[in-house]
Amino acid sequence: MKRLAIALLLALLLAGVAGQFLLPARYDQQFRDQTDALPGGQHLLGTDELGRDRAARLLAGARVSLLLAPAASVLALVLAAVLGLSAGWFGGWWDRGVSTLIDLMISVPIFLVLITARAVLPLNVSPVTSVMITFLLLGLLGWAGSARVIRGACRTQLNSDYILRALATGCSRPRLLFVHLLPNLWPVLRTQFIVAVPAFILDEANLSLLGLGVAEPLPSLGSLLKELTHLPSSPNWLGLAAPAILLAITVCAFEFLLPPKEGSS
Amino acid sequence: MRNAILRRILSSLATLALTGLAAATLLRLAPGFDVEVSELDGRTSAETLRQMREARAGEQDIVSFYGRYLRDALQGDLGRSRSYEVPVTGLIAERLPVTLKLIAWGLAGAWACALLLALANIAFPKVELGFNLLTAVMLSVPAGLVALLILMGQRPVALGLAIALFPKLFSYSRGLFKQNAATGYALAARARGLSAASFLSRYVVWPASPALLAILGLSVNAAFGGAILLETICDLPGVGQLALQAALARDLPLLVGMTLFVGALTVSANAVTDLASLYLTRGRGRA
Amino acid sequence: MRLFVLLWATCLLAADPAVLKFCLRSEPKTFHPLKVGDDASETVRYLTAGTLVKINRRTQLPEASLATKWKTLDGGQTVRFQLREGLRFSDGTPFTAEDVAYTFQQVGAIRSGFTDSLRQGDNAPTATVTGKNEVTVRFAGVTPGWERLIDGLGIMSAKSPLQEKAVLGAFMVAEYKAGQYVVLGRNPHYWVRDAQGKPLPRVDQIRMDITANRDLELMRFKRGEVHMINKVDPDAYQTLATQMPEAVRNAGVSFESEQLWFNQYAKSPLPAYKLEWFRSTVFRRAVSESIRRADLAKIAMKGLAVPGVGPVSPGNTVWFNTKLAAHPYAPSVALAKLQKAGFRKQADGLYDAGGHRVEFSIVTNAGNKTRERLAAMIQADLGEIGIRVSVVTLDFPSLLERITRGFNYEACLLGLTNVDQDPNGQMNVWLSNTANHQWNPNQAAPETPWEAEIDKLMRAQARTVSQAKRKELFDRVQAIVHEQAPFIYLVHKNVLTAIHPTVRHSLVTVLFPHVFSNAEEVELQGAGVYRSAR
């Protein structure tokens, strides 16, 4: 199962990188006499409203999102783990400070943070840079929820019998952290990661509304997924649903790639 | 215990005040704070423009604005909305029931499904693959599409919220349950031939309850976030829709009032779940 | 049992008013007739306010309303109105000449885009009661086309305790829930009758739900929960045309345009070399001539638009300069001109004389699909002559901040709406010293000879009474704008509307409001059958 997942992810990555050589059209080429074409013939998944090849856009978008969303998730998760664990571990004023910060991050309208960030960043950046910035922002802002969960889980673990027993037997603190605590928090981290990847991919699409998403003409999975909302009125359901199918496959693959520690026996 | 509660309440209040200040500052810093669309009206003369811009002068210094605002807020006055020109408290009172109902149903539905299915997954590990596929698909569909489908099918919006919240809650609770089911105690208990029901309740659900409570608090926040999107797309006149409109219109009194009010709700939800979780772990420690 | 039937019938009689429903895309900012600036407020004003003279939306000509006749004096600066007798405001207060005088007094006291349109410089018009039912209005200067300005002036009551809420129009505001809806009720004292002598309006209520969500509006229209859509997006129009062909109405080319302009503001934070490109007519024309306007109209607007020509759309038959046509698509000519001006085309793109790569960003408002598509197509078109364009969508306040405060943008794609068919309505766009002279606002003195000439022409036409002479002057303005391209006009949209088949006597007009200009006359099929006779 795990091998299959790795193979799938590698295949996706490869297709994303090599896609531009496999397909007849570039992702930004506008076939203006073939707009909204149905799948078939020259265009495997049809074309979008500007006549761009949906298959080429899907592969290009997948390359962007599938490379960067996991990276952003890892960034967010590292931040969350450091803050959440340390809060749970040290307790006291540090815990209160971190908890306040988490509460603040969760309650403040992030929308405004992003608008303000947009104002600070220059307008004239290349599409690739804009993608990087977007996912960096997502990683830097998206840790609060996970941090709270990790902190909670950490506290539960610290109060659990086996830790108490380990402490009683004179287990050193670093050993306690790395041998007992972290491995037991692994399922929580894993869940957070798997939930964060698609969430970030979708968030990126919404950020383009604020001028912070992937810039034209570069596609991303998120911006392609947004087109799903035209599904009810479009005959090209395959072309529109393909990004969602691809994303679902990816998320599944991650599920298998990061198995729960003890297995499900 | 009483000390802990007191401390928790105080820190919650401090967090709340900070949140309000952060929201006010952000809105003040956000581009377009003192611009109005009517300025683009080609008929407007320079003098009228000048007077329009002057009208917003009172909100320029954010610290003094916020000081005044908090003082009034303590007396129950959340100010007057700039964009709607009505008192903020009235607007919130008008719209809060809509959102509370939405969130209550949405959360109840999502939690019920998440817990039941997570337990089903533990009890029948063979269906795991199916559940993985289900959550993967649900995570991959934008909430906007869910909202639109709900709208087209004329289904209750709370169903949309439940669908949006479900996959995360399911993943979390299943993760926790699995972890508990795999501890040495649990395995030993199972080997002793404990009935499935008491095994699940005593070794899987009960130990997970503090962590689940922490997530419950978090899910209230997430539900408010989801309400913004669903209310906006499905045009449900609740506080979520109002919050987004306040941010878009750079309506300082309304946004700060909303942040404080919704913040108070979520912070107290979090405090309650935290305290409950504290109580549970303490209780267990003594046992 | 009989009692039950009786009850049921009474319920029907009492509780089934004919309600005309449509949506407002934004919150009405005000119900005060003199402060109106946005579309939503203007909608309410149009439906509730009574005016001295009214522009017939069908014929586009002025006709008598509260004033039965009028006479122009002083070579066009003064107008004497004879008022209709025996009218009452919606609350029963009698309508007198004092009310008109009071309304003009308020025009002088209140500053808004609308009252500014009646001002000249800082001087507002004044009105004096000169006889029983007679008012003499003195404008601040000669005011050609005053009828269209007066068409927007809702007469207020000087005496009514309800102040501006007492109205003379067909409807009055009955209920308003901020952010949710506005309900207009029938004005019981409305004076206009239909051809059969029956009182108007024919519907009991108008319910306007406030929603910016166009998908939702369309969905509710298809279900029959909304009767009209005033502006349908090209995409939605196309969908609707296949699903409900009897409901869509295309009234032809509108007065509106989508346009692109470069930031030429000297104090903007742009690097000097970029400002130099943007200030060069050759550069602007080259950009304009490298855009395939036919494609923009066909693809981005789904064929429901015509290529953009200039400040006046061909739909505005009275003022359009028929000698002008859209800039031709001629990228090789454009490139040749650019090269003559010192630009160099290399393998990887276009460079200016100083060796700077020619690239700029276009900002536009987020969430507007047609604008996003226009921008993406322009990006591809300009890419062909080696210009690298990045497209940035911003939420509207952020965009406004950039184009009106910080001037930190390079090019902007937006549609500036012409509320008015008359050039005087755009005075503050064309004069170089105004804030709405978007490409280079607030100039102390005109920075270019052609802007100086536009200033002169615009002021001259505003002082001229003869329509033919004014047209000649404004034709020249259009020709200069066409030549210099400070605004690069992309497309003129069609007036696309939808009216549900159950709405009878409906009328679609090119002038705003497109679908409910005759709201008082429309009737709803099926509704009103049980309505109690008045």
Side-chain angles (χ1 to χ4, degrees):
Chain A
M1 220 51 193
K2 200 166 172 175
R3 277 204 203 121
L4 182 71
I6 293 179
L8 252 176
L9 286 177
L10 278 180
L12 275 176
L13 205 62
L14 202 71
V17 176
Q20 44 196 332
F21 308 111
L22 295 176
L23 290 164
R26 286 196 330 272
Y27 66 82
D28 60 347
Q29 199 173 350
Q30 302 177 354
F31 296 92
R32 292 188 179 171
D33 43 1
Q34 298 176 47
T35 54
D36 289 318
L38 290 175
Q42 196 191 350
H43 305 291
L44 213 55
L45 292 173
T47 59
D48 70 0
E49 53 200 18
L50 295 181
R52 297 178 293 201
D53 185 75
R54 281 190 188 277
R57 290 183 74 70
L58 178 61
L59 289 184
R63 183 179 56 204
V64 167
S65 297
L66 295 184
L67 278 179
L68 290 172
S73 309
V74 168
L75 174 64
L77 213 55
V78 166
L79 283 173
V82 167
L83 287 167
L85 269 179
S86 62
W89 183 264
F90 295 115
W93 64 267
W94 174 250
D95 182 25
R96 278 202 293 285
V98 171
S99 297
T100 306
L101 189 63
I102 291 174
D103 281 345
L104 209 62
M105 288 296 289
I106 290 176
S107 323
V108 156
I110 291 295
F111 175 75
L112 292 171
V113 181
L114 294 167
I115 287 182
T116 316
R118 169 71 267 178
V120 179
L121 297 168
L123 288 182
N124 225 338
V125 292
S126 73
V128 178
T129 323
S130 75
V131 184
M132 302 280 222
I133 292 176
T134 306
F135 281 103
L136 191 68
L137 269 176
L138 283 174
L140 287 177
L141 294 173
W143 54 267
S146 309
R148 180 193 280 273
V149 173
I150 292 171
R151 172 185 165 273
C154 175
R155 292 232 326 233
T156 315
Q157 292 291 332
L158 284 178
N159 280 319
S160 66
D161 301 340
Y162 77 94
I163 295 275
L164 294 174
R165 213 160 350 116
L167 275 174
T169 55
C171 171
S172 78
R173 293 222 129 207
R175 192 178 146 76
L176 186 67
L177 178 63
F178 289 104
V179 177
H180 293 285
L181 193 54
L182 267 183
N184 273 302
L185 288 176
W186 173 245
V188 178
L189 292 173
R190 169 188 165 274
T191 310
Q192 294 290 337
F193 177 79
I194 287 169
V195 168
V197 171
F200 280 171
I201 287 179
L202 293 172
D203 281 349
E204 177 272 319
N206 294 326
L207 287 191
S208 63
L209 273 181
L210 306 175
L212 275 169
V214 170
E216 284 281 353
L218 195 67
S220 71
L221 265 192
S223 62
L224 296 171
L225 279 167
K226 239 174 26 178
E227 289 188 45
L228 261 180
T229 45
H230 307 310
L231 199 59
S233 61
S234 167
N236 185 3
W237 65 269
L238 181 64
L240 289 179
I245 298 170
L246 188 76
L247 180 60
I249 293 176
T250 316
V251 177
C252 277
F254 275 122
E255 283 262 3
F256 290 117
L257 195 61
L258 302 166
K261 197 182 145 244
E262 307 284 333
S264 51
S265 54
Chain B
M1 193 69 191
R2 190 178 296 156
N3 258 351
I5 294 178
L6 201 67
R7 214 183 305 141
R8 191 69 180 83
I9 289 175
L10 279 179
S11 81
S12 298
L13 283 178
T15 311
L16 194 59
L18 269 179
T19 311
L21 181 62
T25 317
L26 276 171
L27 190 70
R28 179 65 195 83
L29 291 179
F33 170 71
D34 56 355
V35 190
E36 288 196 38
V37 186
S38 48
E39 290 186 23
L40 278 189
D41 187 341
R43 302 174 300 182
T44 317
S45 69
E47 172 59 19
T48 306
L49 273 180
R50 196 187 57 76
Q51 291 186 9
M52 278 162 57
R53 288 175 191 188
E54 229 167 49
R56 269 197 156 179
E59 296 174 356
Q60 297 295 329
D61 177 4
I62 202 66
V63 177
S64 73
F65 165 83
Y66 191 60
R68 266 179 286 134
Y69 193 92
L70 270 190
R71 196 190 57 212
D72 294 346
L74 285 178
Q75 289 154 9
D77 176 14
L78 292 179
R80 236 179 129 71
S81 155
R82 280 192 59 89
S83 50
Y84 296 113
E85 304 198 340
V86 288
V88 172
T89 35
L91 272 177
I92 294 180
E94 214 171 273
R95 287 162 171 247
L96 190 66
V98 178
T99 306
L100 285 184
K101 203 174 140 201
L102 169 69
I103 288 184
W105 282 110
L107 277 175
W111 270 107
C113 292
L115 291 178
L116 279 177
L117 291 184
L119 279 179
N121 194 165
I122 301 297
F124 312 102
K126 282 198 187 115
V127 292
E128 169 125 353
L129 184 66
F131 281 134
N132 282 351
L133 285 174
L134 179 72
T135 41
V137 170
M138 288 182 83
L139 285 171
S140 312
V141 171
L145 179 69
V146 174
L148 203 72
L149 291 176
I150 291 283
L151 197 62
M152 288 180 45
Q154 291 181 288
R155 302 274 169 252
V157 183
L159 179 65
L161 188 60
I163 293 177
L165 293 173
F166 165 77
K168 282 190 187 187
L169 297 181
F170 173 73
S171 295
Y172 292 149
S173 28
R174 187 178 63 173
L176 284 168
F177 289 170
K178 256 188 194 173
Q179 188 189 347
N180 291 333
T183 55
Y185 281 117
L187 292 175
R190 202 162 210 196
R192 281 204 313 270
L194 206 64
S195 79
S198 51
F199 167 72
L200 286 179
S201 61
R202 265 163 66 189
Y203 289 90
V204 175
V205 180
W206 179 241
S209 49
L212 284 180
L213 275 172
I215 300 170
L216 177 66
L218 205 62
S219 71
V220 175
N221 289 326
F224 267 104
I228 294 182
L229 186 96
L230 279 155
E231 286 177 5
T232 305
I233 293 182
C234 300
D235 203 34
L236 203 64
V239 287
Q241 193 194 43
L242 192 64
L244 183 69
Q245 281 163 353
L248 283 173
R250 310 291 194 264
D251 188 335
L252 190 57
L254 182 58
L255 188 90
V256 176
M258 301 269 313
T259 313
L260 286 180
F261 189 80
V262 176
L265 287 185
T266 53
V267 165
S268 45
N270 283 324
V272 168
T273 54
D274 265 18
L275 288 172
S277 138
L278 194 67
Y279 179 76
L280 282 179
T281 36
R282 285 271 174 92
R284 215 162 298 171
R286 255 184 258 122
Chain C
M1 184 64 196
R2 195 177 299 157
L3 185 71
F4 185 75
V5 171
L6 200 68
L7 268 174
W8 178 70
T10 342
C11 280
L12 277 182
L13 280 175
D16 195 22
V19 185
L20 179 69
K21 295 175 193 157
F22 54 89
C23 293
L24 295 175
R25 254 89 187 262
S26 61
E27 193 74 20
K29 293 259 182 281
T30 176
F31 292 143
H32 193 295
L34 302 186
K35 295 179 182 167
V36 165
D38 54 298
D39 270 7
S41 307
E42 173 61 14
T43 300
V44 175
R45 188 212 61 78
Y46 180 86
L47 294 168
T48 57
T51 57
L52 292 174
V53 177
K54 194 172 173 169
I55 301 292
N56 183 319
R57 279 359 191 218
R58 196 181 337 218
T59 61
Q60 305 195 3
L61 293 171
E63 56 185 33
S65 188
L66 296 178
T68 49
K69 53 188 176 196
W70 54 90
K71 198 173 174 197
T72 314
L73 312 163
D74 278 2
Q77 192 174 354
T78 306
V79 185
R80 184 177 298 151
F81 293 97
Q82 195 67 43
L83 304 179
R84 210 172 285 276
E85 285 180 58
L87 307 188
R88 283 172 186 279
F89 281 90
S90 52
D91 65 338
T93 314
F95 164 66
T96 63
E98 271 80 32
D99 296 320
V100 179
Y102 169 77
T103 305
F104 273 94
Q105 190 195 325
Q106 289 298 306
V107 167
I110 292 172
R111 310 258 358 181
S112 71
F114 170 69
T115 58
D116 281 356
S117 71
L118 290 166
R119 283 191 176 84
Q120 294 199 5
D122 263 346
N123 301 318
T126 55
T128 40
V129 178
T130 45
K132 188 173 183 293
N133 295 315
E134 190 188 270
V135 177
T136 305
V137 174
R138 189 174 165 77
F139 290 98
V142 174
T143 307
W146 58 266
E147 295 95 337
R148 280 181 344 283
L149 297 175
I150 296 297
D151 171 78
L153 179 64
I155 299 300
M156 303 193 295
S157 171
K159 298 200 193 73
S160 166
L162 293 179
Q163 294 171 316
E164 81 272 2
K165 292 191 185 77
V167 293
L168 289 161
F171 299 92
M172 55 189 199
V173 177
E175 200 190 346
Y176 167 54
K177 268 241 158 62
Q180 300 183 42
Y181 57 83
V182 184
V183 175
L184 303 182
R186 170 198 293 272
N187 173 359
H189 296 284
Y190 188 54
W191 55 277
V192 181
R193 315 219 144 210
D194 69 4
Q196 285 79 44
K198 289 190 187 141
L200 292 175
R202 292 192 177 122
V203 294
D204 299 295
Q205 281 184 351
I206 296 182
R207 184 187 164 98
M208 298 176 279
D209 285 322
I210 302 165
T211 174
N213 186 335
R214 298 181 180 199
D215 293 328
L216 183 65
E217 187 182 20
L218 190 70
M219 202 174 292
R220 294 179 58 189
F221 178 81
K222 285 186 207 157
R223 284 189 203 139
E225 294 166 11
V226 166
H227 294 116
M228 304 168 153
I229 307 181
N230 206 27
K231 277 186 191 170
V232 185
D233 303 327
D235 295 79
Y237 186 90
Q238 218 183 24
T239 321
L240 209 53
T242 56
Q243 295 170 349
M244 293 175 77
E246 71 284 10
V248 291
R249 311 269 187 96
N250 181 345
V253 184
S254 71
F255 292 0
E256 292 171 30
S257 55
E258 295 290 331
Q259 61 221 54
L260 176 79
W261 73 87
F262 288 104
N263 181 2
Q264 301 184 41
Y265 189 56
K267 279 175 260 170
S268 68
L270 299 183
Y273 65 90
K274 282 202 174 174
L275 210 54
E276 201 179 309
W277 307 337
F278 300 158
R279 289 176 150 233
S280 135
T281 308
V282 173
F283 180 81
R284 295 193 303 266
R285 282 295 297 261
V287 166
S288 179
E289 285 162 22
S290 304
I291 295 173
R292 291 186 174 91
R293 283 184 175 70
D295 280 3
L296 300 186
K298 190 185 90 190
I299 295 167
M301 313 298 290
K302 307 280 178 194
L304 297 163
V306 294
V309 183
V312 179
S313 129
N316 187 350
T317 44
V318 181
W319 289 98
F320 179 64
N321 182 348
T322 49
K323 291 197 196 81
L324 303 178
H327 288 162
Y329 172 66
S332 45
V333 180
L335 200 57
K337 280 192 212 151
L338 279 175
Q339 276 162 341
K340 225 167 122 192
F343 288 87
R344 279 172 299 120
K345 176 92 167 55
Q346 292 182 1
D348 65 333
L350 192 68
Y351 288 81
D352 73 357
H356 305 300
R357 163 122 219 206
V358 180
E359 56 184 343
F360 59 83
S361 60
I362 297 179
V363 293
T364 189
N365 63 317
N368 186 320
K369 238 172 68 185
T370 51
R371 285 197 189 128
E372 284 169 14
R373 284 199 295 240
L374 286 172
M377 293 181 74
I378 292 171
Q379 182 182 45
D381 283 349
L382 294 184
E384 285 176 25
I385 62 162
I387 298 180
R388 189 152 66 189
V389 175
S390 40
V391 176
V392 181
T393 55
L394 298 174
D395 77 308
F396 212 70
S398 306
L399 178 73
L400 280 182
E401 160 116 5
R402 281 190 189 262
I403 65 175
T404 65
R405 297 286 197 284
F407 302 102
N408 186 10
Y409 72 101
E410 293 174 343
C412 176
L413 197 168
L414 216 54
L416 298 180
T417 38
N418 286 332
V419 247
D420 203 339
Q421 81 189 103
D422 189 277
N424 279 344
Q426 307 171 30
M427 205 66 173
N428 286 306
V429 174
W430 299 114
L431 295 185
S432 59
N433 60 359
T434 58
N436 272 314
H437 191 69
Q438 298 300 344
W439 68 87
N440 189 3
N442 307 321
Q443 300 175 31
E447 288 174 21
T448 61
W450 56 270
E451 283 173 292
E453 196 186 346
I454 291 181
D455 283 2
K456 220 171 67 198
L457 290 163
M458 284 307 288
R459 293 210 169 92
Q461 67 81 24
R463 284 192 304 267
T464 308
V465 181
S466 150
Q467 168 68 19
K469 184 74 187 139
R470 288 186 71 207
K471 171 84 164 70
E472 201 183 308
L473 293 166
F474 195 59
D475 272 359
R476 178 74 194 122
V477 173
Q478 293 176 53
I480 296 173
V481 173
H482 188 265
E483 172 65 32
Q484 298 293 337
F487 285 139
I488 295 172
Y489 291 89
L490 303 169
V491 286
H492 301 294
K493 301 185 270 190
N494 282 351
V495 175
L496 304 175
T497 67
I499 300 181
H500 210 268
T502 52
V503 178
R504 289 194 292 178
H505 313 299
S506 63
L507 171 73
V508 177
T509 56
V510 178
L511 289 183
F512 181 90
H514 310 300
V515 285
F516 46 84
S517 63
N518 66 336
E520 58 192 54
E521 288 169 6
V522 303
E523 226 172 331
L524 297 175
Q525 213 164 20
V529 178
Y530 306 107
R531 208 176 67 209
S532 54
R534 265 162 213 271

